[in-house]
Short mmCIF file of all heavy atoms in Angstrom, two decimals:
data_model
loop_
_atom_site.label_atom_id
_atom_site.label_comp_id
_atom_site.label_asym_id
_atom_site.label_seq_id
_atom_site.Cartn_x
_atom_site.Cartn_y
_atom_site.Cartn_z
N MET G 868 -45.83 -82.25 91.60
CA MET G 868 -45.15 -82.59 90.38
C MET G 868 -46.12 -82.43 89.22
O MET G 868 -47.29 -82.80 89.31
CB MET G 868 -44.63 -84.02 90.43
CG MET G 868 -43.96 -84.42 89.14
SD MET G 868 -43.46 -86.15 89.02
CE MET G 868 -42.32 -86.26 90.33
N ILE G 869 -45.63 -81.91 88.14
CA ILE G 869 -46.43 -81.75 86.92
C ILE G 869 -45.79 -82.61 85.84
O ILE G 869 -44.58 -82.53 85.61
CB ILE G 869 -46.46 -80.29 86.46
CG1 ILE G 869 -47.12 -79.41 87.52
CG2 ILE G 869 -47.18 -80.16 85.13
CD1 ILE G 869 -47.02 -77.94 87.22
N LYS G 870 -46.60 -83.43 85.18
CA LYS G 870 -46.13 -84.23 84.05
C LYS G 870 -46.86 -83.78 82.81
O LYS G 870 -48.10 -83.72 82.79
CB LYS G 870 -46.38 -85.71 84.28
CG LYS G 870 -45.51 -86.32 85.33
CD LYS G 870 -45.74 -87.82 85.40
CE LYS G 870 -44.86 -88.43 86.45
NZ LYS G 870 -45.00 -89.89 86.49
N ILE G 871 -46.12 -83.45 81.78
CA ILE G 871 -46.69 -83.06 80.50
C ILE G 871 -46.09 -83.97 79.45
O ILE G 871 -44.87 -84.04 79.30
CB ILE G 871 -46.36 -81.58 80.16
CG1 ILE G 871 -46.93 -80.66 81.24
CG2 ILE G 871 -46.88 -81.22 78.78
CD1 ILE G 871 -46.50 -79.22 81.09
N LYS G 872 -46.94 -84.68 78.74
CA LYS G 872 -46.48 -85.56 77.65
C LYS G 872 -46.90 -84.94 76.33
O LYS G 872 -48.07 -84.64 76.13
CB LYS G 872 -47.07 -86.95 77.80
CG LYS G 872 -46.56 -87.71 78.99
CD LYS G 872 -47.11 -89.11 79.01
CE LYS G 872 -46.57 -89.86 80.22
NZ LYS G 872 -47.01 -91.26 80.20
N ILE G 873 -45.94 -84.78 75.45
CA ILE G 873 -46.20 -84.20 74.13
C ILE G 873 -45.67 -85.17 73.10
O ILE G 873 -44.54 -85.63 73.18
CB ILE G 873 -45.51 -82.83 73.99
CG1 ILE G 873 -46.05 -81.86 75.05
CG2 ILE G 873 -45.71 -82.28 72.59
CD1 ILE G 873 -45.37 -80.52 75.06
N SER G 874 -46.51 -85.49 72.14
CA SER G 874 -46.07 -86.38 71.06
C SER G 874 -46.43 -85.74 69.72
O SER G 874 -47.36 -84.94 69.63
CB SER G 874 -46.72 -87.76 71.18
OG SER G 874 -48.11 -87.66 71.09
N GLY G 875 -45.67 -86.07 68.71
CA GLY G 875 -45.92 -85.52 67.39
C GLY G 875 -44.98 -86.13 66.37
O GLY G 875 -44.08 -86.89 66.71
N SER G 876 -45.19 -85.79 65.13
CA SER G 876 -44.36 -86.33 64.06
C SER G 876 -43.09 -85.51 63.85
O SER G 876 -42.20 -85.92 63.11
CB SER G 876 -45.16 -86.39 62.76
OG SER G 876 -45.58 -85.10 62.39
N GLY G 877 -43.00 -84.37 64.48
CA GLY G 877 -41.80 -83.55 64.37
C GLY G 877 -41.97 -82.28 65.18
O GLY G 877 -43.08 -81.84 65.44
N PHE G 878 -40.86 -81.71 65.61
CA PHE G 878 -40.90 -80.51 66.42
C PHE G 878 -39.86 -79.52 65.94
O PHE G 878 -38.79 -79.90 65.49
CB PHE G 878 -40.62 -80.84 67.89
CG PHE G 878 -41.65 -81.73 68.51
CD1 PHE G 878 -41.42 -83.10 68.63
CD2 PHE G 878 -42.85 -81.22 68.95
CE1 PHE G 878 -42.37 -83.92 69.19
CE2 PHE G 878 -43.81 -82.04 69.52
CZ PHE G 878 -43.57 -83.39 69.64
N LEU G 879 -40.16 -78.24 66.08
CA LEU G 879 -39.20 -77.19 65.80
C LEU G 879 -38.27 -77.02 66.98
O LEU G 879 -38.55 -77.50 68.09
CB LEU G 879 -39.93 -75.87 65.52
CG LEU G 879 -40.89 -75.88 64.33
CD1 LEU G 879 -41.65 -74.56 64.28
CD2 LEU G 879 -40.13 -76.12 63.04
N TYR G 880 -37.18 -76.32 66.77
CA TYR G 880 -36.20 -76.08 67.83
C TYR G 880 -36.87 -75.38 69.01
O TYR G 880 -37.54 -74.36 68.84
CB TYR G 880 -35.06 -75.22 67.27
CG TYR G 880 -33.96 -74.95 68.25
CD1 TYR G 880 -33.09 -75.96 68.64
CD2 TYR G 880 -33.79 -73.69 68.80
CE1 TYR G 880 -32.08 -75.72 69.54
CE2 TYR G 880 -32.78 -73.44 69.71
CZ TYR G 880 -31.92 -74.46 70.07
OH TYR G 880 -30.93 -74.22 70.97
N ASN G 881 -36.72 -75.93 70.20
CA ASN G 881 -37.28 -75.39 71.45
C ASN G 881 -38.80 -75.38 71.51
O ASN G 881 -39.38 -74.77 72.42
CB ASN G 881 -36.76 -73.99 71.75
CG ASN G 881 -35.34 -74.00 72.23
OD1 ASN G 881 -34.86 -74.98 72.80
ND2 ASN G 881 -34.64 -72.91 72.01
N MET G 882 -39.48 -76.00 70.58
CA MET G 882 -40.94 -75.97 70.52
C MET G 882 -41.58 -76.51 71.80
O MET G 882 -42.50 -75.89 72.35
CB MET G 882 -41.42 -76.76 69.32
CG MET G 882 -42.88 -76.73 69.07
SD MET G 882 -43.19 -77.64 67.54
CE MET G 882 -44.93 -77.42 67.39
N VAL G 883 -41.12 -77.63 72.29
CA VAL G 883 -41.71 -78.23 73.49
C VAL G 883 -41.45 -77.33 74.70
O VAL G 883 -42.34 -77.13 75.53
CB VAL G 883 -41.16 -79.66 73.71
CG1 VAL G 883 -41.60 -80.21 75.04
CG2 VAL G 883 -41.61 -80.56 72.58
N ARG G 884 -40.29 -76.77 74.80
CA ARG G 884 -39.97 -75.89 75.92
C ARG G 884 -40.82 -74.63 75.90
O ARG G 884 -41.23 -74.12 76.96
CB ARG G 884 -38.49 -75.55 75.91
CG ARG G 884 -37.63 -76.77 76.23
CD ARG G 884 -36.16 -76.55 76.02
NE ARG G 884 -35.67 -75.45 76.85
CZ ARG G 884 -34.45 -74.95 76.74
NH1 ARG G 884 -33.59 -75.45 75.87
NH2 ARG G 884 -34.07 -73.96 77.51
N ILE G 885 -41.15 -74.12 74.74
CA ILE G 885 -42.03 -72.95 74.62
C ILE G 885 -43.45 -73.31 75.03
O ILE G 885 -44.13 -72.56 75.74
CB ILE G 885 -41.98 -72.40 73.18
CG1 ILE G 885 -40.59 -71.85 72.87
CG2 ILE G 885 -43.04 -71.32 72.98
CD1 ILE G 885 -40.32 -71.64 71.39
N ILE G 886 -43.92 -74.48 74.59
CA ILE G 886 -45.26 -74.95 74.96
C ILE G 886 -45.36 -75.12 76.47
O ILE G 886 -46.33 -74.68 77.10
CB ILE G 886 -45.60 -76.27 74.23
CG1 ILE G 886 -45.75 -76.02 72.73
CG2 ILE G 886 -46.87 -76.90 74.79
CD1 ILE G 886 -45.82 -77.29 71.90
N VAL G 887 -44.37 -75.75 77.07
CA VAL G 887 -44.37 -75.98 78.52
C VAL G 887 -44.39 -74.65 79.27
O VAL G 887 -45.17 -74.47 80.21
CB VAL G 887 -43.16 -76.84 78.94
CG1 VAL G 887 -43.00 -76.85 80.45
CG2 VAL G 887 -43.32 -78.25 78.40
N ALA G 888 -43.58 -73.70 78.87
CA ALA G 888 -43.54 -72.39 79.54
C ALA G 888 -44.89 -71.69 79.43
O ALA G 888 -45.36 -71.09 80.41
CB ALA G 888 -42.44 -71.52 78.94
N SER G 889 -45.53 -71.78 78.28
CA SER G 889 -46.84 -71.15 78.11
C SER G 889 -47.90 -71.82 78.97
O SER G 889 -48.73 -71.14 79.59
CB SER G 889 -47.25 -71.20 76.63
OG SER G 889 -46.35 -70.47 75.84
N LEU G 890 -47.88 -73.14 79.06
CA LEU G 890 -48.84 -73.86 79.90
C LEU G 890 -48.65 -73.52 81.38
O LEU G 890 -49.63 -73.37 82.12
CB LEU G 890 -48.73 -75.36 79.67
CG LEU G 890 -49.19 -75.87 78.31
CD1 LEU G 890 -48.88 -77.36 78.16
CD2 LEU G 890 -50.67 -75.60 78.10
N ILE G 891 -47.42 -73.40 81.80
CA ILE G 891 -47.15 -73.02 83.19
C ILE G 891 -47.69 -71.63 83.48
O ILE G 891 -48.31 -71.39 84.52
CB ILE G 891 -45.65 -73.12 83.50
CG1 ILE G 891 -45.23 -74.59 83.54
CG2 ILE G 891 -45.31 -72.43 84.82
CD1 ILE G 891 -43.74 -74.81 83.61
N ASP G 892 -47.50 -70.69 82.56
CA ASP G 892 -48.02 -69.35 82.77
C ASP G 892 -49.54 -69.30 82.76
O ASP G 892 -50.15 -68.49 83.48
CB ASP G 892 -47.45 -68.39 81.73
CG ASP G 892 -46.08 -67.86 82.14
OD1 ASP G 892 -45.67 -68.13 83.28
OD2 ASP G 892 -45.45 -67.18 81.32
N ILE G 893 -50.18 -70.13 81.99
CA ILE G 893 -51.65 -70.22 82.03
C ILE G 893 -52.08 -70.71 83.41
O ILE G 893 -53.00 -70.16 84.03
CB ILE G 893 -52.19 -71.15 80.93
CG1 ILE G 893 -52.04 -70.48 79.56
CG2 ILE G 893 -53.65 -71.51 81.19
CD1 ILE G 893 -52.35 -71.39 78.40
N GLY G 894 -51.41 -71.73 83.92
CA GLY G 894 -51.73 -72.26 85.23
C GLY G 894 -51.51 -71.24 86.34
O GLY G 894 -52.23 -71.24 87.34
N ARG G 895 -50.55 -70.37 86.17
CA ARG G 895 -50.27 -69.33 87.17
C ARG G 895 -51.14 -68.10 87.00
O ARG G 895 -51.06 -67.17 87.78
CB ARG G 895 -48.80 -68.92 87.09
CG ARG G 895 -47.86 -69.99 87.57
CD ARG G 895 -46.43 -69.54 87.47
NE ARG G 895 -45.53 -70.53 88.07
CZ ARG G 895 -44.23 -70.51 87.92
NH1 ARG G 895 -43.65 -69.56 87.20
NH2 ARG G 895 -43.49 -71.45 88.48
N GLY G 896 -51.97 -68.08 85.95
CA GLY G 896 -52.86 -66.95 85.71
C GLY G 896 -52.22 -65.79 84.98
O GLY G 896 -52.80 -64.72 84.88
N ARG G 897 -51.03 -65.98 84.45
CA ARG G 897 -50.34 -64.92 83.71
C ARG G 897 -50.82 -64.79 82.27
O ARG G 897 -50.72 -63.73 81.67
CB ARG G 897 -48.83 -65.17 83.71
CG ARG G 897 -48.21 -65.09 85.06
CD ARG G 897 -46.73 -65.35 84.98
NE ARG G 897 -46.12 -65.42 86.29
CZ ARG G 897 -44.95 -65.93 86.53
NH1 ARG G 897 -44.22 -66.42 85.54
NH2 ARG G 897 -44.48 -65.96 87.75
N PHE G 898 -51.29 -65.89 81.71
CA PHE G 898 -51.82 -65.93 80.34
C PHE G 898 -53.26 -66.37 80.39
O PHE G 898 -53.64 -67.20 81.21
CB PHE G 898 -51.08 -67.00 79.52
CG PHE G 898 -49.90 -66.51 78.72
CD1 PHE G 898 -49.35 -65.26 78.89
CD2 PHE G 898 -49.32 -67.34 77.79
CE1 PHE G 898 -48.26 -64.87 78.16
CE2 PHE G 898 -48.23 -66.95 77.05
CZ PHE G 898 -47.70 -65.72 77.23
N ASP G 899 -54.06 -65.84 79.49
CA ASP G 899 -55.42 -66.35 79.29
C ASP G 899 -55.31 -67.59 78.41
O ASP G 899 -54.52 -67.61 77.45
CB ASP G 899 -56.27 -65.28 78.60
CG ASP G 899 -57.67 -65.74 78.30
OD1 ASP G 899 -58.20 -66.56 79.07
OD2 ASP G 899 -58.24 -65.27 77.30
N GLU G 900 -56.06 -68.62 78.72
CA GLU G 900 -55.94 -69.86 77.97
C GLU G 900 -56.28 -69.69 76.49
O GLU G 900 -55.81 -70.44 75.64
CB GLU G 900 -56.81 -70.95 78.58
CG GLU G 900 -58.28 -70.63 78.58
CD GLU G 900 -59.08 -71.63 79.37
OE1 GLU G 900 -58.89 -71.71 80.58
OE2 GLU G 900 -59.90 -72.32 78.73
N ASN G 901 -57.07 -68.69 76.13
CA ASN G 901 -57.40 -68.44 74.72
C ASN G 901 -56.21 -67.89 73.93
O ASN G 901 -56.21 -67.90 72.71
CB ASN G 901 -58.58 -67.48 74.62
CG ASN G 901 -59.83 -68.07 75.22
OD1 ASN G 901 -60.08 -69.26 75.09
ND2 ASN G 901 -60.60 -67.25 75.90
N ARG G 902 -55.21 -67.41 74.64
CA ARG G 902 -54.04 -66.85 73.96
C ARG G 902 -53.27 -67.93 73.19
O ARG G 902 -52.70 -67.65 72.14
CB ARG G 902 -53.12 -66.18 74.97
CG ARG G 902 -51.98 -65.47 74.31
CD ARG G 902 -51.32 -64.51 75.23
NE ARG G 902 -50.24 -63.84 74.50
CZ ARG G 902 -49.37 -63.06 75.07
NH1 ARG G 902 -49.45 -62.81 76.35
NH2 ARG G 902 -48.42 -62.51 74.36
N ILE G 903 -53.27 -69.14 73.69
CA ILE G 903 -52.59 -70.24 73.00
C ILE G 903 -53.20 -70.46 71.62
O ILE G 903 -52.48 -70.59 70.63
CB ILE G 903 -52.66 -71.54 73.83
CG1 ILE G 903 -51.92 -71.38 75.14
CG2 ILE G 903 -52.11 -72.72 73.04
CD1 ILE G 903 -50.44 -71.17 75.02
N GLU G 904 -54.51 -70.46 71.56
CA GLU G 904 -55.18 -70.63 70.26
C GLU G 904 -54.83 -69.49 69.31
O GLU G 904 -54.56 -69.71 68.13
CB GLU G 904 -56.70 -70.69 70.47
CG GLU G 904 -57.47 -70.99 69.21
CD GLU G 904 -58.95 -71.14 69.45
OE1 GLU G 904 -59.38 -71.18 70.62
OE2 GLU G 904 -59.68 -71.23 68.46
N GLU G 905 -54.78 -68.28 69.83
CA GLU G 905 -54.41 -67.12 69.02
C GLU G 905 -52.98 -67.24 68.49
O GLU G 905 -52.70 -66.96 67.33
CB GLU G 905 -54.55 -65.85 69.86
CG GLU G 905 -54.23 -64.58 69.13
CD GLU G 905 -54.32 -63.36 70.03
OE1 GLU G 905 -54.78 -63.47 71.17
OE2 GLU G 905 -53.90 -62.29 69.56
N ILE G 906 -52.06 -67.69 69.34
CA ILE G 906 -50.67 -67.87 68.92
C ILE G 906 -50.57 -68.91 67.81
O ILE G 906 -49.87 -68.71 66.82
CB ILE G 906 -49.79 -68.27 70.13
CG1 ILE G 906 -49.69 -67.11 71.12
CG2 ILE G 906 -48.40 -68.69 69.67
CD1 ILE G 906 -49.11 -67.49 72.46
N LEU G 907 -51.29 -70.02 67.97
CA LEU G 907 -51.26 -71.07 66.96
C LEU G 907 -51.86 -70.62 65.64
O LEU G 907 -51.35 -70.94 64.57
CB LEU G 907 -51.98 -72.32 67.48
CG LEU G 907 -51.30 -73.03 68.65
CD1 LEU G 907 -52.21 -74.12 69.19
CD2 LEU G 907 -49.96 -73.60 68.24
N GLU G 908 -52.94 -69.86 65.70
CA GLU G 908 -53.60 -69.38 64.47
C GLU G 908 -52.75 -68.37 63.73
O GLU G 908 -52.66 -68.40 62.50
CB GLU G 908 -54.96 -68.79 64.80
CG GLU G 908 -56.00 -69.83 65.15
CD GLU G 908 -57.33 -69.21 65.57
OE1 GLU G 908 -57.42 -67.96 65.66
OE2 GLU G 908 -58.27 -69.99 65.81
N THR G 909 -52.12 -67.44 64.46
CA THR G 909 -51.33 -66.39 63.82
C THR G 909 -49.91 -66.85 63.46
O THR G 909 -49.24 -66.20 62.67
CB THR G 909 -51.23 -65.14 64.72
OG1 THR G 909 -50.59 -65.50 65.94
CG2 THR G 909 -52.61 -64.57 65.00
N LYS G 910 -49.47 -67.96 64.09
CA LYS G 910 -48.12 -68.50 63.86
C LYS G 910 -47.03 -67.48 64.17
O LYS G 910 -45.99 -67.43 63.53
CB LYS G 910 -47.99 -69.01 62.43
CG LYS G 910 -48.96 -70.12 62.10
CD LYS G 910 -48.84 -70.57 60.67
CE LYS G 910 -49.88 -71.64 60.39
NZ LYS G 910 -49.86 -72.09 59.02
N GLN G 911 -47.27 -66.68 65.21
CA GLN G 911 -46.31 -65.66 65.63
C GLN G 911 -45.60 -66.10 66.90
O GLN G 911 -46.14 -66.02 67.99
CB GLN G 911 -47.03 -64.33 65.87
CG GLN G 911 -47.62 -63.71 64.63
CD GLN G 911 -46.54 -63.30 63.65
OE1 GLN G 911 -45.50 -62.75 64.03
NE2 GLN G 911 -46.78 -63.58 62.39
N ARG G 912 -44.39 -66.57 66.76
CA ARG G 912 -43.61 -67.04 67.91
C ARG G 912 -43.41 -65.92 68.92
O ARG G 912 -43.37 -66.15 70.13
CB ARG G 912 -42.26 -67.60 67.42
CG ARG G 912 -41.16 -67.73 68.45
CD ARG G 912 -41.56 -68.61 69.62
NE ARG G 912 -40.46 -68.78 70.57
CZ ARG G 912 -40.42 -68.22 71.77
NH1 ARG G 912 -41.38 -67.44 72.18
NH2 ARG G 912 -39.41 -68.45 72.58
N SER G 913 -43.33 -64.69 68.46
CA SER G 913 -43.10 -63.57 69.36
C SER G 913 -44.24 -63.37 70.35
O SER G 913 -44.05 -62.75 71.40
CB SER G 913 -42.87 -62.29 68.56
OG SER G 913 -44.01 -62.01 67.76
N MET G 914 -45.42 -63.89 70.07
CA MET G 914 -46.55 -63.79 70.98
C MET G 914 -46.47 -64.81 72.11
O MET G 914 -47.14 -64.67 73.13
CB MET G 914 -47.87 -63.98 70.22
CG MET G 914 -48.18 -62.89 69.24
SD MET G 914 -49.70 -63.23 68.34
CE MET G 914 -50.90 -63.18 69.66
N ALA G 915 -45.68 -65.85 71.91
CA ALA G 915 -45.57 -66.91 72.91
C ALA G 915 -44.67 -66.46 74.04
O ALA G 915 -44.00 -65.43 73.97
CB ALA G 915 -45.03 -68.18 72.26
N ASN G 916 -44.64 -67.27 75.06
CA ASN G 916 -43.85 -66.97 76.24
C ASN G 916 -42.37 -67.26 76.00
O ASN G 916 -41.98 -67.73 74.94
CB ASN G 916 -44.38 -67.82 77.40
CG ASN G 916 -43.93 -67.31 78.73
OD1 ASN G 916 -43.30 -66.26 78.82
ND2 ASN G 916 -44.23 -68.03 79.77
N VAL G 917 -41.61 -67.01 77.04
CA VAL G 917 -40.19 -67.34 76.99
C VAL G 917 -40.02 -68.86 76.92
O VAL G 917 -40.97 -69.61 77.11
CB VAL G 917 -39.44 -66.79 78.23
CG1 VAL G 917 -39.53 -65.29 78.26
CG2 VAL G 917 -40.02 -67.38 79.50
N THR G 918 -38.84 -69.31 76.67
CA THR G 918 -38.54 -70.73 76.60
C THR G 918 -38.27 -71.25 78.01
O THR G 918 -37.49 -70.67 78.75
CB THR G 918 -37.30 -70.96 75.71
OG1 THR G 918 -37.56 -70.37 74.44
CG2 THR G 918 -37.02 -72.43 75.53
N ALA G 919 -38.91 -72.35 78.37
CA ALA G 919 -38.69 -72.96 79.69
C ALA G 919 -37.27 -73.51 79.76
O ALA G 919 -36.72 -73.97 78.75
CB ALA G 919 -39.70 -74.08 79.92
N PRO G 920 -36.68 -73.49 80.93
CA PRO G 920 -35.35 -74.10 81.07
C PRO G 920 -35.43 -75.61 80.85
O PRO G 920 -36.48 -76.22 81.06
CB PRO G 920 -34.94 -73.77 82.50
CG PRO G 920 -36.20 -73.45 83.20
CD PRO G 920 -37.16 -72.94 82.18
N ALA G 921 -34.35 -76.19 80.42
CA ALA G 921 -34.35 -77.62 80.10
C ALA G 921 -34.34 -78.50 81.34
O ALA G 921 -34.50 -79.71 81.24
CB ALA G 921 -33.13 -77.94 79.24
N VAL G 922 -34.20 -77.92 82.51
CA VAL G 922 -34.16 -78.69 83.75
C VAL G 922 -35.47 -79.45 83.94
O VAL G 922 -36.55 -78.86 83.93
CB VAL G 922 -33.92 -77.75 84.96
CG1 VAL G 922 -33.96 -78.51 86.26
CG2 VAL G 922 -32.62 -77.02 84.78
N GLY G 923 -35.37 -80.75 84.07
CA GLY G 923 -36.56 -81.58 84.30
C GLY G 923 -37.24 -82.05 83.03
O GLY G 923 -38.13 -82.89 83.08
N LEU G 924 -36.86 -81.52 81.88
CA LEU G 924 -37.45 -81.97 80.62
C LEU G 924 -36.54 -83.01 79.99
O LEU G 924 -35.32 -82.88 80.01
CB LEU G 924 -37.61 -80.79 79.65
CG LEU G 924 -38.49 -79.64 80.10
CD1 LEU G 924 -38.46 -78.52 79.07
CD2 LEU G 924 -39.90 -80.09 80.35
N TYR G 925 -37.12 -84.06 79.46
CA TYR G 925 -36.30 -85.08 78.82
C TYR G 925 -37.07 -85.76 77.70
O TYR G 925 -38.29 -85.78 77.67
CB TYR G 925 -35.80 -86.12 79.83
CG TYR G 925 -36.88 -86.97 80.44
CD1 TYR G 925 -37.20 -88.20 79.90
CD2 TYR G 925 -37.58 -86.54 81.56
CE1 TYR G 925 -38.20 -88.98 80.44
CE2 TYR G 925 -38.57 -87.31 82.11
CZ TYR G 925 -38.88 -88.54 81.56
OH TYR G 925 -39.87 -89.29 82.10
N LEU G 926 -36.33 -86.31 76.77
CA LEU G 926 -36.88 -87.08 75.66
C LEU G 926 -37.10 -88.50 76.15
O LEU G 926 -36.17 -89.17 76.58
CB LEU G 926 -35.91 -87.07 74.48
CG LEU G 926 -36.31 -87.88 73.26
CD1 LEU G 926 -37.59 -87.35 72.64
CD2 LEU G 926 -35.18 -87.87 72.24
N ASN G 927 -38.33 -88.94 76.09
CA ASN G 927 -38.67 -90.26 76.63
C ASN G 927 -38.54 -91.36 75.59
O ASN G 927 -37.97 -92.41 75.87
CB ASN G 927 -40.10 -90.23 77.17
CG ASN G 927 -40.49 -91.51 77.87
OD1 ASN G 927 -39.67 -92.11 78.52
ND2 ASN G 927 -41.74 -91.89 77.72
N LYS G 928 -39.02 -91.13 74.39
CA LYS G 928 -39.03 -92.20 73.39
C LYS G 928 -39.10 -91.59 71.99
O LYS G 928 -39.71 -90.57 71.79
CB LYS G 928 -40.25 -93.10 73.61
CG LYS G 928 -40.24 -94.38 72.79
CD LYS G 928 -41.49 -95.20 73.07
CE LYS G 928 -41.36 -95.83 74.44
NZ LYS G 928 -42.46 -96.78 74.73
N VAL G 929 -38.46 -92.25 71.04
CA VAL G 929 -38.50 -91.85 69.64
C VAL G 929 -39.10 -92.99 68.85
O VAL G 929 -38.69 -94.15 69.00
CB VAL G 929 -37.08 -91.52 69.11
CG1 VAL G 929 -37.14 -91.19 67.63
CG2 VAL G 929 -36.47 -90.37 69.89
N PHE G 930 -40.08 -92.68 68.03
CA PHE G 930 -40.70 -93.67 67.15
C PHE G 930 -40.29 -93.41 65.72
O PHE G 930 -40.24 -92.27 65.29
CB PHE G 930 -42.23 -93.58 67.26
CG PHE G 930 -42.78 -93.87 68.60
CD1 PHE G 930 -43.06 -92.83 69.48
CD2 PHE G 930 -43.01 -95.17 69.01
CE1 PHE G 930 -43.57 -93.09 70.75
CE2 PHE G 930 -43.52 -95.43 70.27
CZ PHE G 930 -43.80 -94.38 71.13
N TYR G 931 -39.98 -94.45 64.99
CA TYR G 931 -39.62 -94.31 63.58
C TYR G 931 -40.64 -94.99 62.72
O TYR G 931 -41.25 -95.94 63.05
CB TYR G 931 -38.24 -94.92 63.32
CG TYR G 931 -37.13 -94.12 63.92
CD1 TYR G 931 -36.54 -94.49 65.13
CD2 TYR G 931 -36.65 -92.99 63.29
CE1 TYR G 931 -35.52 -93.77 65.69
CE2 TYR G 931 -35.63 -92.24 63.84
CZ TYR G 931 -35.07 -92.65 65.03
OH TYR G 931 -34.04 -91.92 65.57
#
């Protein structure tokens, strides 16, 4: 089982699912871990991986 906790003050549509898919591909050796930094610096969504399916992902808590 893999648990990934992500917190922040706001998220874009499908942002968490894209992050999760990219992390899974890094773990599988499909992506170089430095690619994440490059994607964040260039702000190019097209460089990121596909969107992970929503199966198993859930919203745990909302803070106001």
Side-chain angles (χ1 to χ4, degrees):
M868 177 186 298
I869 298 172
K870 289 185 180 183
I871 300 172
K872 292 184 179 185
I873 299 176
S874 61
S876 60
F878 297 99
L879 299 174
Y880 182 71
N881 285 334
M882 185 176 183
V883 172
R884 291 171 59 188
I885 294 164
I886 292 169
V887 169
S889 297
L890 291 174
I891 289 171
D892 276 353
I893 288 171
R895 291 180 174 168
R897 295 180 186 163
F898 267 12
D899 178 31
E900 62 188 65
N901 296 323
R902 186 164 181 188
I903 297 294
E904 186 176 351
E905 181 183 351
I906 293 168
L907 293 172
E908 286 176 356
T909 61
K910 299 178 182 178
Q911 294 295 318
R912 162 58 177 108
S913 59
M914 293 177 64
N916 197 5
V917 298
T918 304
V922 176
L924 300 176
Y925 66 94
L926 177 63
N927 186 36
K928 190 180 286 187
V929 177
F930 298 96
Y931 289 100

